[in-house]
Amino acid sequence: MDEKKAAILGEIPRLRRYARSLLRDRDSADDLVQDCLERALVRLDNWQTGESPRRWLFTIMHHLFIDQMRKVNRRGEAAMLPLESGEAQAAPADQVESIASREIIDALQAISPDRRAALVMVAIEGFSYAEAANILGVPAGTLMSRIARGREELRGLLDDTARRRSIRIVEK
């Protein structure tokens, strides 16, 4: 039992990263991780010993996220929360990589949650298409379509951002 709990604890950083990619609000993301861990510990017997808990935990988290989104949609509340004031950059970035990273994160947050979840599962978390499709509860073809559309949408957003950044206003 302790081995299972230790393996679950080892997945917390990945769960937090995935939760933050789904929800921009740090507190909401931490709540989602906590709910996921609580459910996992209650249903610890459902996890097969010898297997990595990663896929199982991500499936639990995704289902909790979908349930949360449904509740939000029923209530008519805003699904995506604005960045907290502490998360905004206080000074302009000196490095091009930092600016590019911020633009990518902002663009990723701008695409639909379904496409974002599919992209994060495969591109960031490293799940195979089959594993990600299983976790998200969609056919592999649907997952691949969401990834393709998400990448296309990201390219469009990033191209638009680059164009806006290259336009400079000259004052005399």
Side-chain angles (χ1 to χ4, degrees):
M1 192 67 85
D2 290 332
E3 292 174 15
K4 285 184 174 183
K5 289 179 182 176
I8 289 172
L9 289 176
E11 295 297 325
I12 291 176
R14 289 184 183 101
L15 291 171
R16 279 193 174 138
R17 182 174 57 215
Y18 182 56
R20 287 296 304 271
S21 73
L22 294 174
L23 303 163
R24 281 185 115 165
D25 180 53
R26 178 179 295 142
D27 294 332
S28 296
D30 286 342
D31 289 345
L32 183 61
V33 171
Q34 181 175 345
D35 291 345
C36 174
L37 293 172
E38 285 176 8
R39 187 168 290 183
L41 291 174
V42 167
R43 298 178 180 165
L44 198 57
D45 295 334
N46 293 350
W47 174 39
Q48 306 285 327
T49 305
E51 291 183 15
S52 169
R54 190 169 182 212
R55 186 174 20 180
W56 181 63
L57 290 169
F58 274 75
T59 302
I60 292 171
M61 180 175 283
H62 182 72
H63 288 220
L64 289 169
F65 172 70
I66 294 299
D67 291 345
Q68 183 179 2
M69 293 301 293
R70 286 180 182 148
K71 286 178 189 174
V72 166
N73 288 338
R74 273 195 299 262
R75 293 183 195 149
E77 299 171 7
M80 298 307 296
L81 300 173
L83 285 175
E84 297 171 357
S85 60
E87 291 180 316
Q89 292 180 342
D94 296 331
Q95 301 165 340
V96 174
E97 294 85 19
S98 179
I99 294 170
S101 295
R102 181 84 249 154
E103 288 172 354
I104 291 169
I105 291 169
D106 290 344
L108 190 60
Q109 291 297 326
I111 66 174
S112 73
D114 290 341
R115 292 175 184 172
R116 182 173 56 248
L119 277 169
V120 168
M121 285 285 185
V122 173
I124 296 174
E125 296 302 331
F127 286 107
S128 70
Y129 285 151
E131 290 173 325
N134 188 17
I135 290 169
L136 298 176
V138 298
T142 301
L143 176 85
M144 290 188 289
S145 175
R146 287 179 182 176
I147 290 171
R149 289 186 186 129
R151 286 177 177 159
E152 184 179 319
E153 196 173 348
L154 274 176
R155 270 188 223 104
L157 289 168
L158 291 171
D159 287 346
D160 186 47
T161 302
R163 252 184 259 122
R164 280 196 312 244
R165 193 179 37 189
S166 66
I167 297 173
R168 296 185 182 155
I169 299 174
V170 178
E171 296 182 21
K172 292 183 179 187

